[in-house]
Amino acid sequence: MDFARLVTPDGQHALAEARQLLGKDRLAAITALRERFDPGLAADALSQAALRERAVAKFGEGAWGMYFTAAGLEQATRPIVAARRAERLGASRNVVDLGCGIGSDLMHLGGTGIERDPDTAKCAELNVPAARVIPGDAQDFDLSTVDTVFCDPARRSGGKRVFNPRDYSPPWDWVVSLPERVPRTVLKLAPGIDQSLLPPGCELELVSVDGDVVEAAAWCGPLARVPRRATVIRKGVAHELAGTGTRRAPVGEPRRYVYDPDGAVVRAHLVAEFASTVDGVLGDPSIAYVYSSIYVENAFSRAFEIDEIMPFSLKRLRAALRARDVGRLEILKRGSAVDVETLRRELKLGGTNAASLMLTRIAGDPVAVILR
Ligand SMILES: C[S@@+](CC[C@H](N)C(=O)[O-])C[C@H]1O[C@@H](n2cnc3c(N)ncnc32)[C@H](O)[C@@H]1O
């Protein structure tokens, strides 16, 4: 994409017109644009306007003034997460973002961004005029005078997500050795990162936004404060739970309430820490549902009152849900092999009430729990 052209007055007009044409089919839109602009600019403006429209979900209305590549948008950190991270890092003399993408983190970090993909680097330069963006390979950057490193390696290759850290770019071995060179290092990682691969002594933070676990971050060297932290952001407000990640929650009989901990709490291995805040126990040592006799309003879980617990049986469950005239059913499961969609079909619900159902195991036995 010719970004240099898009930023000219002609390019800006093309972008504004392309935005107005976004609802139309692509052929009609491109034909209309070509009447006013040359074919290359018309195509770039339409693609960029479409990316901006997609970016609104992540960046809000500000996306209409930003520049994106498709992969750059896909991998960009959500602004609320980037802003919190930069705030925790505080003022830094010389921070470098190794693999800065379109600059979502760089916007909050300031300093220098290195980006290998030339189009994406151009976007970062346009999106973060206050930063210095260097197109090139992060591995070639001289870190000797750097005070703080942020690295968010690409977890995609050829448009597909990669799950093995060894396929990250820059390469994992290099990424994980960064704290040896610059102790104040933060690495952004996939939420499912194999925790045995982390740099020794780091703090692993798991972050969720409105119920979705969006990332993990390893805070290295002097930046580590606790072994594990869950940051749960709901409706724009962040709540933090910290602990060792090795504590075991007590196990006991189910009680009146059940708490379904947020994915960030579960992935940070902080279920025991959470359970102690609600005086709770697990019904099964390997399953992260927490039972308690008390109801405690909190940001780290969803809470339900238990209506009935029964051994799992389709016939019995169907009868119980029909007796409650249930038509709409939310199904939660942990530790159950039941296929939720098949079960939903087999239940053939036709009632007028809504209910929640939990499929799990208690003391090793499969159970269905009807929730209020
Ligand atoms: C996950 S994205 C970064 C997203 C960024 N934190 C943001 O919020 O916009 C990773 C970026 O690293 C870049 N990258 C991958 N390998 C690189 C390397 N060796 N040197 C520099 N950049 C690299 C990719 O092109 C990609 O844009």
Side-chain angles (χ1 to χ4, degrees):
M1 190 168 295
D2 187 349
F3 288 98
R5 184 86 193 274
L6 281 177
V7 296
T8 63
D10 215 21
Q12 295 296 299
H13 284 141
L15 275 169
E17 291 198 19
R19 180 178 176 182
Q20 302 305 320
L21 293 166
L22 280 175
K24 292 208 166 25
D25 86 43
R26 190 172 160 87
L27 187 64
I30 200 87
T31 309
L33 280 174
R34 278 179 172 197
E35 282 170 16
R36 306 252 294 109
F37 306 97
D38 77 58
L41 181 56
D44 282 354
L46 198 57
S47 303
Q48 190 54 226
L51 284 169
R52 287 176 166 186
E53 184 179 46
R54 238 198 290 156
V56 168
K58 208 176 239 181
F59 290 94
E61 292 301 311
W64 293 108
M66 293 174 66
Y67 292 85
F68 300 97
T69 54
L73 168 58
E74 186 95 29
Q75 300 180 87
T77 303
R78 291 166 195 236
I80 191 166
V81 179
R84 274 186 61 76
R85 179 164 28 241
E87 195 186 315
R88 177 168 164 186
L89 273 171
S92 164
R93 286 190 307 279
N94 188 357
V95 56
V96 61
D97 180 347
L98 300 171
C100 67
I102 56 99
S104 185
D105 281 289
L106 190 63
M107 228 172 264
H108 300 274
L109 292 170
T112 302
I114 323 290
E115 172 54 50
R116 190 176 60 176
D117 178 69
D119 275 0
T120 309
K122 189 71 196 167
C123 292
E125 195 186 305
L126 294 169
N127 292 335
V128 200
R132 182 165 71 118
V133 176
I134 304 174
D137 194 318
Q139 291 173 266
D140 298 335
F141 190 73
D142 174 12
L143 293 172
S144 58
T145 60
V146 166
D147 161 60
T148 304
V149 160
F150 174 67
C151 182
D152 174 9
R155 288 175 263 137
R156 294 186 164 267
S157 172
K160 291 216 177 81
R161 204 172 280 216
V162 299
F163 293 99
N164 187 343
R166 306 206 189 281
D167 298 326
Y168 283 7
S169 179
W172 178 251
D173 289 345
W174 181 80
V175 169
V176 85
S177 70
L178 284 167
E180 290 163 23
R181 286 188 284 157
V182 182
R184 274 177 58 93
T185 285
V186 189
L187 309 174
K188 178 180 151 183
L189 307 162
I193 182 79
D194 174 351
Q195 299 187 14
S196 68
L197 299 177
L198 296 172
C202 73
E203 167 185 330
L204 182 67
E205 178 191 27
L206 271 296
V207 183
S208 71
V209 177
D210 296 326
D212 288 331
V213 186
V214 292
E215 67 170 64
W219 296 80
C220 305
L223 298 171
R225 292 189 198 140
V226 285
R228 295 287 181 274
R229 183 188 306 273
T231 298
V232 172
I233 302 174
R234 286 190 193 274
K235 296 187 180 147
V237 181
H239 311 264
E240 294 188 9
L241 185 72
T244 61
T246 53
R247 247 175 85 184
R248 315 281 294 178
V251 178
E253 294 285 312
R255 301 172 184 179
R256 180 170 170 192
Y257 298 98
V258 61
Y259 294 83
D260 177 17
D262 187 277
V265 172
V266 176
R267 287 189 186 247
H269 299 174
L270 293 174
V271 174
E273 280 80 353
F274 167 70
S276 70
T277 68
V278 298
D279 192 22
V281 297
L282 301 181
D284 189 289
S286 62
I287 299 177
Y289 286 134
V290 176
Y291 301 83
S292 173
S293 332
I294 54 169
Y295 174 74
V296 182
E297 180 90 39
N298 72 88
F300 299 109
S301 69
R302 294 176 70 200
F304 301 88
E305 188 174 6
I306 294 178
D307 181 346
E308 186 180 349
I309 301 181
M310 65 188 80
F312 182 78
S313 136
L314 178 62
K315 212 168 135 201
R316 208 166 145 186
L317 183 58
R318 193 189 285 137
L321 293 171
R322 287 204 177 150
R324 289 166 175 81
D325 195 29
V326 172
R328 280 162 296 132
L329 186 67
E330 174 195 26
I331 304 179
L332 295 82
K333 75 167 191 167
R334 286 193 203 275
S336 162
V338 173
D339 180 69
V340 168
E341 287 322 309
T342 309
L343 175 67
R344 197 183 286 287
R345 273 197 305 279
E346 288 173 346
L347 285 170
K348 298 193 184 82
L349 298 173
T352 53
N353 294 330
S356 297
L357 171 72
M358 201 171 90
L359 303 174
T360 187
R361 291 194 316 269
I362 292 177
D365 297 326
V367 292
V369 185
I370 301 179
L371 305 166
R372 291 205 185 92

